[in-house]
Amino acid sequence: MAELSATQTVVDIEPVTLVAPDGTPTAEDRYSRDLPPETLSWLYEMMVVTRDLDVEFVNLQRQGELALFASCRGQEAAQIGAAACLRKTDWLFPQYREIGAFLLRGITPAQMGAIWRGMWHGGLGFTKKCVAPIAIPIGTHGLHAVGAAMAAQRLGEESVTVAFLGDGATSEGDAHEALNLASVFKAPCVFFVQNNQWAISVPVSHQLAAPSIAHRAVGYGMPGIRVDGNDVLACYAVMAEAAARAREGGGPTLIEAITYRLGPHTTSDDPTRYRSQEEVDYWLARDPLPRYRTYLQSIGVWTDRLEGRVAAKSKRLRTELRDSIVGAPDMDITDMFDTVYAEITPTLAQQREQLLAELAKEA
């Protein structure tokens, strides 16, 4: 495993890759891919279930059961690899695509569905699993992650916090403030940037002039590393190293996981307006699921029995999600005013009455 010093800048220009796109092991020897067979099969299980659950969410939105959904299709390896090596007491600060990370922490499909249904209690049970509620504002949760990491420092805890960011978030001021603050105070925080090439319709090439997002680590005085975000074993290894370094007092790390958003930004987006089919086809050939399955087949871990077990779990969770959403009552619109504070403020009460008056006119 590569050792990162506090003053080291970017480890590699080329992303760390342990399993090539064709499913064969690479010559990379700084990181180990020798995990127990049960761990290797578990990673595959979680990747497949994440994608299948993602498909079910999209189906529900298309059927009118959800107003909006942000797909993570194509980013399963990055999410599963990064979260699987962490302790259950390590805190995750997600954006809005981290289905895989949620599943790993035991957050149920029904709990995720409540968020996308807009229920007032959506995300309420996340903190019991050391997962912060999802952050819709871009990049703001990076600061929350650093604050939690600094709190852990002062409390003498060994927990590490991980901020899941997109490439677009690194163009926001909040992300830069979080990176700088974490570095100055050597906070036990890892910034895991899933560079999926597009911030809605803005390509990553229009977001920075540096050679990569990881190169920005130089300016913050922390290690930066690039990893193949479609290689679950590489993401696992790189995150495990960064988390161990943070836990030992070595401070934060900036990880750039090179991946791709195979679907639209959200179900309201039309990606054909800003990217070519040739580009999508290029990344489809690097799909993390068949890549990893081919690797498992080559080492004798993948079996028909494993595939059957995964399919059964996927079906069960998809059914759980659908049962929790289809036919569920719509939320009372006043809930978004009544549940902010223990007692509603005069300003919120006024806004609530204004909205009810407007809705009455439309009835």
Side-chain angles (χ1 to χ4, degrees):
M1 182 180 291
E3 292 295 329
L4 300 179
S5 69
T7 58
Q8 194 170 355
T9 56
V10 178
V11 175
D12 261 333
I13 297 300
E14 291 300 318
V16 174
T17 305
L18 298 180
V19 178
D22 64 359
T24 59
T26 67
E28 173 65 62
D29 60 2
R30 295 169 301 165
Y31 296 88
S32 174
R33 60 178 67 80
D34 297 327
L35 297 174
E38 56 270 22
T39 301
L40 293 172
S41 60
W42 173 61
L43 294 174
Y44 175 72
E45 174 183 316
M46 298 309 297
M47 287 172 64
V48 174
V49 173
T50 296
R51 177 162 297 186
D52 288 350
L53 198 59
D54 186 275
V55 169
E56 193 65 40
F57 266 111
V58 173
N59 290 344
L60 287 164
Q61 193 282 327
R62 298 307 189 202
Q63 293 162 9
E65 298 292 343
L66 301 173
L68 184 74
F69 180 69
S71 170
C72 69
R73 182 168 169 255
Q75 299 178 220
E76 297 89 355
Q79 294 182 13
I80 298 299
C85 64
L86 299 172
R87 299 177 183 177
K88 292 182 178 180
T89 52
D90 292 334
W91 274 85
L92 309 184
F93 287 79
Q95 47 180 348
Y96 40 79
R97 296 188 197 280
E98 271 65 63
I99 292 180
F102 296 155
L103 283 174
L104 280 173
R105 284 301 175 90
I107 293 172
T108 68
Q111 287 176 298
M112 295 183 228
I115 287 180
W116 291 106
R117 285 275 295 174
M119 305 302 291
W120 72 268
H121 54 75
L124 200 60
F126 282 42
T127 56
K128 294 180 180 178
K129 304 290 185 178
C130 292
V131 179
I134 68 171
I136 295 297
I138 305 299
T140 57
H141 58 295
L143 289 163
H144 305 159
V146 176
M150 292 173 67
Q153 277 181 321
R154 285 155 176 74
L155 293 171
E157 298 176 353
E158 290 188 350
S159 64
V160 170
T161 66
V162 178
F164 286 86
L165 304 169
D167 50 285
T170 65
S171 297
E172 297 286 340
D174 286 339
H176 292 283
E177 293 165 9
L179 285 157
N180 188 63
L181 189 66
S183 185
V184 169
F185 289 96
K186 300 189 75 172
C189 183
V190 180
F191 298 89
F192 189 74
V193 180
Q194 295 174 79
N195 178 0
N196 66 15
Q197 312 305 315
W198 291 93
I200 308 183
S201 59
V202 180
V204 70
S205 60
H206 291 182
Q207 297 181 59
L208 73 162
S212 74
I213 291 173
H215 277 79
R216 289 176 166 174
V218 176
Y220 301 113
M222 68 174 71
I225 187 167
R226 304 181 83 207
V227 62
D228 187 335
N230 286 3
D231 178 358
V232 67
L233 296 185
C235 291
Y236 186 105
V238 168
M239 175 59 81
E241 176 187 56
R245 179 177 177 274
R247 214 180 303 279
E248 294 165 2
T253 300
L254 173 59
I255 299 174
E256 178 186 6
I258 313 301
T259 183
Y260 194 73
R261 165 171 54 82
L262 290 174
H265 175 69
T266 70
T267 48
S268 296
D269 176 38
D270 179 8
T272 63
R273 298 180 63 182
Y274 54 81
R275 68 185 190 188
S276 67
Q277 187 58 46
E278 290 76 14
E279 176 182 313
V280 177
D281 290 342
Y282 172 86
W283 285 98
L284 278 171
R286 288 153 178 77
D287 189 321
L289 267 65
R291 171 196 292 204
Y292 188 51
R293 181 170 58 245
T294 299
Y295 173 73
L296 294 184
Q297 288 172 330
S298 71
I299 62 173
V301 171
W302 184 93
T303 62
D304 289 335
R305 182 178 181 181
L306 170 61
E307 196 69 26
R309 187 186 78 200
V310 172
K313 181 172 183 177
S314 175
K315 181 179 179 180
R316 176 173 58 81
L317 293 182
R318 290 179 69 163
T319 300
E320 179 183 330
L321 173 63
R322 181 164 287 277
D323 288 347
S324 71
I325 289 179
V326 176
D330 292 331
M331 66 173 286
D332 184 340
I333 195 65
T334 60
D335 282 351
M336 67 177 180
F337 299 101
D338 297 339
T339 57
V340 178
Y341 299 103
E343 295 183 9
I344 189 170
T345 65
T347 300
L348 283 179
Q350 182 182 24
Q351 292 175 5
R352 180 182 62 182
E353 295 309 312
Q354 289 175 340
L355 177 59
L356 289 174
E358 290 293 327
L359 293 175
K361 294 177 183 178
E362 299 176 4

mmCIF file of all heavy atoms in Angstrom, residues 6-40:
data_model
loop_
_atom_site.group_PDB
_atom_site.id
_atom_site.type_symbol
_atom_site.label_atom_id
_atom_site.label_comp_id
_atom_site.label_asym_id
_atom_site.label_seq_id
_atom_site.Cartn_x
_atom_site.Cartn_y
_atom_site.Cartn_z
ATOM 1 N N ALA A 6 2.316 13.973 4.838
ATOM 2 C CA ALA A 6 1.502 15.177 4.989
ATOM 3 C C ALA A 6 1.863 16.234 3.960
ATOM 4 O O ALA A 6 1.041 17.093 3.634
ATOM 5 C CB ALA A 6 1.677 15.742 6.402
ATOM 6 N N THR A 7 3.094 16.191 3.437
ATOM 7 C CA THR A 7 3.521 17.214 2.479
ATOM 8 C C THR A 7 3.476 16.723 1.043
ATOM 9 O O THR A 7 3.742 17.480 0.119
ATOM 10 C CB THR A 7 4.961 17.667 2.800
ATOM 11 O OG1 THR A 7 5.827 16.524 2.764
ATOM 12 C CG2 THR A 7 5.032 18.325 4.161
ATOM 13 N N GLN A 8 3.122 15.459 0.850
ATOM 14 C CA GLN A 8 3.064 14.928 -0.506
ATOM 15 C C GLN A 8 1.887 15.532 -1.244
ATOM 16 O O GLN A 8 0.842 15.820 -0.666
ATOM 17 C CB GLN A 8 2.940 13.405 -0.467
ATOM 18 C CG GLN A 8 3.214 12.723 -1.797
ATOM 19 C CD GLN A 8 3.318 11.218 -1.608
ATOM 20 O OE1 GLN A 8 3.277 10.746 -0.485
ATOM 21 N NE2 GLN A 8 3.443 10.488 -2.687
ATOM 22 N N THR A 9 2.044 15.732 -2.535
ATOM 23 C CA THR A 9 0.994 16.385 -3.295
ATOM 24 C C THR A 9 0.135 15.350 -4.008
ATOM 25 O O THR A 9 -0.625 14.637 -3.378
ATOM 26 C CB THR A 9 1.605 17.390 -4.285
ATOM 27 O OG1 THR A 9 2.556 16.719 -5.121
ATOM 28 C CG2 THR A 9 2.314 18.499 -3.538
ATOM 29 N N VAL A 10 0.266 15.239 -5.315
ATOM 30 C CA VAL A 10 -0.541 14.290 -6.071
ATOM 31 C C VAL A 10 0.264 13.012 -6.279
ATOM 32 O O VAL A 10 1.377 13.052 -6.802
ATOM 33 C CB VAL A 10 -0.968 14.890 -7.424
ATOM 34 C CG1 VAL A 10 -1.772 13.876 -8.223
ATOM 35 C CG2 VAL A 10 -1.803 16.141 -7.186
ATOM 36 N N VAL A 11 -0.283 11.895 -5.852
ATOM 37 C CA VAL A 11 0.432 10.633 -5.940
ATOM 38 C C VAL A 11 0.655 10.237 -7.389
ATOM 39 O O VAL A 11 1.742 9.857 -7.793
ATOM 40 C CB VAL A 11 -0.345 9.522 -5.199
ATOM 41 C CG1 VAL A 11 0.340 8.178 -5.385
ATOM 42 C CG2 VAL A 11 -0.448 9.858 -3.724
ATOM 43 N N ASP A 12 -0.360 10.318 -8.196
ATOM 44 C CA ASP A 12 -0.280 9.879 -9.579
ATOM 45 C C ASP A 12 -1.149 10.758 -10.469
ATOM 46 O O ASP A 12 -2.212 11.219 -10.049
ATOM 47 C CB ASP A 12 -0.767 8.440 -9.713
ATOM 48 C CG ASP A 12 0.386 7.435 -9.765
ATOM 49 O OD1 ASP A 12 1.490 7.807 -10.202
ATOM 50 O OD2 ASP A 12 0.156 6.299 -9.366
ATOM 51 N N ILE A 13 -0.691 10.963 -11.680
ATOM 52 C CA ILE A 13 -1.544 11.595 -12.678
ATOM 53 C C ILE A 13 -2.575 10.581 -13.156
ATOM 54 O O ILE A 13 -3.743 10.880 -13.303
ATOM 55 C CB ILE A 13 -0.700 12.111 -13.860
ATOM 56 C CG1 ILE A 13 0.269 13.204 -13.386
ATOM 57 C CG2 ILE A 13 -1.621 12.660 -14.951
ATOM 58 C CD1 ILE A 13 -0.408 14.418 -12.788
ATOM 59 N N GLU A 14 -2.123 9.358 -13.390
ATOM 60 C CA GLU A 14 -3.029 8.318 -13.839
ATOM 61 C C GLU A 14 -3.799 7.737 -12.652
ATOM 62 O O GLU A 14 -3.215 7.520 -11.585
ATOM 63 C CB GLU A 14 -2.255 7.200 -14.539
ATOM 64 C CG GLU A 14 -1.648 7.610 -15.875
ATOM 65 C CD GLU A 14 -2.705 8.052 -16.870
ATOM 66 O OE1 GLU A 14 -3.759 7.385 -16.947
ATOM 67 O OE2 GLU A 14 -2.485 9.073 -17.549
ATOM 68 N N PRO A 15 -5.082 7.484 -12.815
ATOM 69 C CA PRO A 15 -5.872 6.927 -11.710
ATOM 70 C C PRO A 15 -5.388 5.539 -11.303
ATOM 71 O O PRO A 15 -4.970 4.735 -12.145
ATOM 72 C CB PRO A 15 -7.293 6.861 -12.292
ATOM 73 C CG PRO A 15 -7.295 7.802 -13.443
ATOM 74 C CD PRO A 15 -5.914 7.773 -14.002
ATOM 75 N N VAL A 16 -5.459 5.267 -10.016
ATOM 76 C CA VAL A 16 -5.145 3.933 -9.508
ATOM 77 C C VAL A 16 -6.197 2.960 -10.028
ATOM 78 O O VAL A 16 -7.403 3.182 -9.872
ATOM 79 C CB VAL A 16 -5.127 3.916 -7.970
ATOM 80 C CG1 VAL A 16 -4.950 2.490 -7.452
ATOM 81 C CG2 VAL A 16 -4.039 4.831 -7.439
ATOM 82 N N THR A 17 -5.751 1.875 -10.656
ATOM 83 C CA THR A 17 -6.656 0.864 -11.196
ATOM 84 C C THR A 17 -6.138 -0.515 -10.824
ATOM 85 O O THR A 17 -4.981 -0.835 -11.099
ATOM 86 C CB THR A 17 -6.775 0.968 -12.731
ATOM 87 O OG1 THR A 17 -7.176 2.289 -13.091
ATOM 88 C CG2 THR A 17 -7.799 -0.021 -13.266
ATOM 89 N N LEU A 18 -6.979 -1.314 -10.213
ATOM 90 C CA LEU A 18 -6.615 -2.676 -9.851
ATOM 91 C C LEU A 18 -7.232 -3.706 -10.786
ATOM 92 O O LEU A 18 -6.676 -4.783 -10.987
ATOM 93 C CB LEU A 18 -7.031 -2.980 -8.410
ATOM 94 C CG LEU A 18 -6.381 -2.119 -7.328
ATOM 95 C CD1 LEU A 18 -6.882 -2.528 -5.949
ATOM 96 C CD2 LEU A 18 -4.870 -2.203 -7.391
ATOM 97 N N VAL A 19 -8.405 -3.373 -11.348
ATOM 98 C CA VAL A 19 -9.085 -4.247 -12.305
ATOM 99 C C VAL A 19 -9.336 -3.432 -13.569
ATOM 100 O O VAL A 19 -10.023 -2.400 -13.532
ATOM 101 C CB VAL A 19 -10.414 -4.785 -11.745
ATOM 102 C CG1 VAL A 19 -11.121 -5.651 -12.780
ATOM 103 C CG2 VAL A 19 -10.174 -5.586 -10.467
ATOM 104 N N ALA A 20 -8.795 -3.879 -14.676
ATOM 105 C CA ALA A 20 -8.926 -3.171 -15.951
ATOM 106 C C ALA A 20 -10.358 -3.250 -16.473
ATOM 107 O O ALA A 20 -11.153 -4.081 -16.013
ATOM 108 C CB ALA A 20 -7.961 -3.768 -16.968
ATOM 109 N N PRO A 21 -10.715 -2.389 -17.429
ATOM 110 C CA PRO A 21 -12.081 -2.419 -17.970
ATOM 111 C C PRO A 21 -12.508 -3.772 -18.523
ATOM 112 O O PRO A 21 -13.708 -4.081 -18.542
ATOM 113 C CB PRO A 21 -12.026 -1.358 -19.086
ATOM 114 C CG PRO A 21 -11.005 -0.380 -18.607
ATOM 115 C CD PRO A 21 -9.955 -1.219 -17.936
ATOM 116 N N ASP A 22 -11.555 -4.606 -18.964
ATOM 117 C CA ASP A 22 -11.920 -5.923 -19.484
ATOM 118 C C ASP A 22 -12.004 -6.987 -18.385
ATOM 119 O O ASP A 22 -12.210 -8.174 -18.669
ATOM 120 C CB ASP A 22 -10.935 -6.370 -20.571
ATOM 121 C CG ASP A 22 -9.517 -6.560 -20.043
ATOM 122 O OD1 ASP A 22 -9.286 -6.320 -18.838
ATOM 123 O OD2 ASP A 22 -8.641 -6.931 -20.845
ATOM 124 N N GLY A 23 -11.837 -6.564 -17.123
ATOM 125 C CA GLY A 23 -11.978 -7.492 -16.009
ATOM 126 C C GLY A 23 -10.711 -8.209 -15.604
ATOM 127 O O GLY A 23 -10.744 -9.057 -14.699
ATOM 128 N N THR A 24 -9.599 -7.885 -16.209
ATOM 129 C CA THR A 24 -8.329 -8.524 -15.852
ATOM 130 C C THR A 24 -7.592 -7.684 -14.823
ATOM 131 O O THR A 24 -7.703 -6.466 -14.802
ATOM 132 C CB THR A 24 -7.438 -8.695 -17.091
ATOM 133 O OG1 THR A 24 -7.177 -7.398 -17.670
ATOM 134 C CG2 THR A 24 -8.111 -9.582 -18.119
ATOM 135 N N PRO A 25 -6.817 -8.315 -13.947
ATOM 136 C CA PRO A 25 -6.048 -7.548 -12.960
ATOM 137 C C PRO A 25 -4.940 -6.755 -13.640
ATOM 138 O O PRO A 25 -4.329 -7.220 -14.601
ATOM 139 C CB PRO A 25 -5.484 -8.623 -12.032
ATOM 140 C CG PRO A 25 -5.500 -9.891 -12.837
ATOM 141 C CD PRO A 25 -6.663 -9.770 -13.765
ATOM 142 N N THR A 26 -4.698 -5.565 -13.142
ATOM 143 C CA THR A 26 -3.643 -4.718 -13.688
ATOM 144 C C THR A 26 -2.312 -5.050 -13.019
ATOM 145 O O THR A 26 -2.235 -5.868 -12.109
ATOM 146 C CB THR A 26 -3.972 -3.234 -13.466
ATOM 147 O OG1 THR A 26 -3.934 -2.964 -12.045
ATOM 148 C CG2 THR A 26 -5.341 -2.881 -14.026
ATOM 149 N N ALA A 27 -1.261 -4.348 -13.468
ATOM 150 C CA ALA A 27 0.062 -4.554 -12.888
ATOM 151 C C ALA A 27 0.270 -3.739 -11.619
ATOM 152 O O ALA A 27 1.347 -3.809 -11.013
ATOM 153 C CB ALA A 27 1.134 -4.192 -13.923
ATOM 154 N N GLU A 28 -0.725 -2.968 -11.194
ATOM 155 C CA GLU A 28 -0.628 -2.136 -9.991
ATOM 156 C C GLU A 28 -0.276 -3.008 -8.783
ATOM 157 O O GLU A 28 -0.984 -3.975 -8.474
ATOM 158 C CB GLU A 28 -1.947 -1.420 -9.749
ATOM 159 C CG GLU A 28 -2.040 -0.658 -8.445
ATOM 160 C CD GLU A 28 -1.067 0.500 -8.383
ATOM 161 O OE1 GLU A 28 -1.198 1.414 -9.221
ATOM 162 O OE2 GLU A 28 -0.199 0.487 -7.494
ATOM 163 N N ASP A 29 0.831 -2.671 -8.107
ATOM 164 C CA ASP A 29 1.252 -3.483 -6.971
ATOM 165 C C ASP A 29 1.402 -2.696 -5.671
ATOM 166 O O ASP A 29 1.859 -3.228 -4.660
ATOM 167 C CB ASP A 29 2.567 -4.196 -7.281
ATOM 168 C CG ASP A 29 3.702 -3.223 -7.603
ATOM 169 O OD1 ASP A 29 3.478 -1.993 -7.541
ATOM 170 O OD2 ASP A 29 4.813 -3.697 -7.920
ATOM 171 N N ARG A 30 1.003 -1.421 -5.687
ATOM 172 C CA ARG A 30 1.095 -0.641 -4.453
ATOM 173 C C ARG A 30 -0.100 -0.877 -3.539
ATOM 174 O O ARG A 30 -0.045 -0.637 -2.336
ATOM 175 C CB ARG A 30 1.201 0.854 -4.778
ATOM 176 C CG ARG A 30 2.477 1.258 -5.511
ATOM 177 C CD ARG A 30 2.356 2.682 -6.014
ATOM 178 N NE ARG A 30 1.216 2.824 -6.916
ATOM 179 C CZ ARG A 30 0.688 3.990 -7.284
ATOM 180 N NH1 ARG A 30 1.175 5.117 -6.797
ATOM 181 N NH2 ARG A 30 -0.326 4.030 -8.116
ATOM 182 N N TYR A 31 -1.190 -1.309 -4.125
ATOM 183 C CA TYR A 31 -2.409 -1.561 -3.356
ATOM 184 C C TYR A 31 -2.816 -3.019 -3.538
ATOM 185 O O TYR A 31 -2.662 -3.596 -4.616
ATOM 186 C CB TYR A 31 -3.541 -0.652 -3.829
ATOM 187 C CG TYR A 31 -3.293 0.815 -3.620
ATOM 188 C CD1 TYR A 31 -2.622 1.569 -4.580
ATOM 189 C CD2 TYR A 31 -3.727 1.453 -2.462
ATOM 190 C CE1 TYR A 31 -2.383 2.924 -4.390
ATOM 191 C CE2 TYR A 31 -3.492 2.806 -2.268
ATOM 192 C CZ TYR A 31 -2.826 3.532 -3.232
ATOM 193 O OH TYR A 31 -2.597 4.872 -3.046
ATOM 194 N N SER A 32 -3.399 -3.590 -2.505
ATOM 195 C CA SER A 32 -3.784 -4.996 -2.546
ATOM 196 C C SER A 32 -5.225 -5.159 -3.016
ATOM 197 O O SER A 32 -6.099 -4.367 -2.667
ATOM 198 C CB SER A 32 -3.635 -5.625 -1.162
ATOM 199 O OG SER A 32 -4.132 -6.946 -1.153
ATOM 200 N N ARG A 33 -5.455 -6.179 -3.814
ATOM 201 C CA ARG A 33 -6.810 -6.550 -4.236
ATOM 202 C C ARG A 33 -7.225 -7.877 -3.602
ATOM 203 O O ARG A 33 -8.257 -8.443 -3.951
ATOM 204 C CB ARG A 33 -6.892 -6.633 -5.767
ATOM 205 C CG ARG A 33 -5.974 -7.646 -6.400
ATOM 206 C CD ARG A 33 -6.109 -7.733 -7.912
ATOM 207 N NE ARG A 33 -5.674 -6.537 -8.581
ATOM 208 C CZ ARG A 33 -4.387 -6.203 -8.837
ATOM 209 N NH1 ARG A 33 -3.432 -7.017 -8.423
ATOM 210 N NH2 ARG A 33 -4.074 -5.110 -9.475
ATOM 211 N N ASP A 34 -6.401 -8.362 -2.674
ATOM 212 C CA ASP A 34 -6.615 -9.684 -2.074
ATOM 213 C C ASP A 34 -7.539 -9.594 -0.863
ATOM 214 O O ASP A 34 -7.098 -9.688 0.294
ATOM 215 C CB ASP A 34 -5.278 -10.313 -1.680
ATOM 216 C CG ASP A 34 -4.379 -10.556 -2.874
ATOM 217 O OD1 ASP A 34 -4.923 -10.855 -3.956
ATOM 218 O OD2 ASP A 34 -3.148 -10.438 -2.731
ATOM 219 N N LEU A 35 -8.814 -9.424 -1.121
ATOM 220 C CA LEU A 35 -9.817 -9.427 -0.058
ATOM 221 C C LEU A 35 -10.400 -10.833 0.079
ATOM 222 O O LEU A 35 -10.359 -11.626 -0.868
ATOM 223 C CB LEU A 35 -10.928 -8.426 -0.386
ATOM 224 C CG LEU A 35 -10.514 -6.955 -0.481
ATOM 225 C CD1 LEU A 35 -11.680 -6.111 -0.962
ATOM 226 C CD2 LEU A 35 -9.987 -6.447 0.841
ATOM 227 N N PRO A 36 -10.983 -11.164 1.241
ATOM 228 C CA PRO A 36 -11.606 -12.482 1.408
ATOM 229 C C PRO A 36 -12.718 -12.694 0.385
ATOM 230 O O PRO A 36 -13.397 -11.722 -0.019
ATOM 231 C CB PRO A 36 -12.169 -12.423 2.831
ATOM 232 C CG PRO A 36 -11.357 -11.366 3.519
ATOM 233 C CD PRO A 36 -11.035 -10.351 2.465
ATOM 234 N N PRO A 37 -12.955 -13.932 -0.060
ATOM 235 C CA PRO A 37 -13.997 -14.203 -1.055
ATOM 236 C C PRO A 37 -15.371 -13.676 -0.652
ATOM 237 O O PRO A 37 -16.124 -13.181 -1.489
ATOM 238 C CB PRO A 37 -13.991 -15.735 -1.165
ATOM 239 C CG PRO A 37 -12.607 -16.124 -0.778
ATOM 240 C CD PRO A 37 -12.194 -15.145 0.281
ATOM 241 N N GLU A 38 -15.686 -13.785 0.648
ATOM 242 C CA GLU A 38 -17.003 -13.307 1.088
ATOM 243 C C GLU A 38 -17.122 -11.787 0.950
ATOM 244 O O GLU A 38 -18.205 -11.265 0.675
ATOM 245 C CB GLU A 38 -17.290 -13.730 2.525
ATOM 246 C CG GLU A 38 -16.260 -13.303 3.557
ATOM 247 C CD GLU A 38 -15.151 -14.303 3.763
ATOM 248 O OE1 GLU A 38 -14.913 -15.131 2.847
ATOM 249 O OE2 GLU A 38 -14.522 -14.278 4.841
ATOM 250 N N THR A 39 -16.008 -11.072 1.130
ATOM 251 C CA THR A 39 -16.021 -9.622 0.939
ATOM 252 C C THR A 39 -16.150 -9.287 -0.536
ATOM 253 O O THR A 39 -16.908 -8.385 -0.923
ATOM 254 C CB THR A 39 -14.739 -8.987 1.508
ATOM 255 O OG1 THR A 39 -14.641 -9.295 2.902
ATOM 256 C CG2 THR A 39 -14.763 -7.472 1.328
ATOM 257 N N LEU A 40 -15.429 -10.003 -1.376
ATOM 258 C CA LEU A 40 -15.496 -9.767 -2.821
ATOM 259 C C LEU A 40 -16.917 -9.990 -3.351
ATOM 260 O O LEU A 40 -17.422 -9.199 -4.153
ATOM 261 C CB LEU A 40 -14.520 -10.696 -3.540
ATOM 262 C CG LEU A 40 -13.024 -10.442 -3.285
ATOM 263 C CD1 LEU A 40 -12.186 -11.560 -3.891
ATOM 264 C CD2 LEU A 40 -12.598 -9.085 -3.835
#
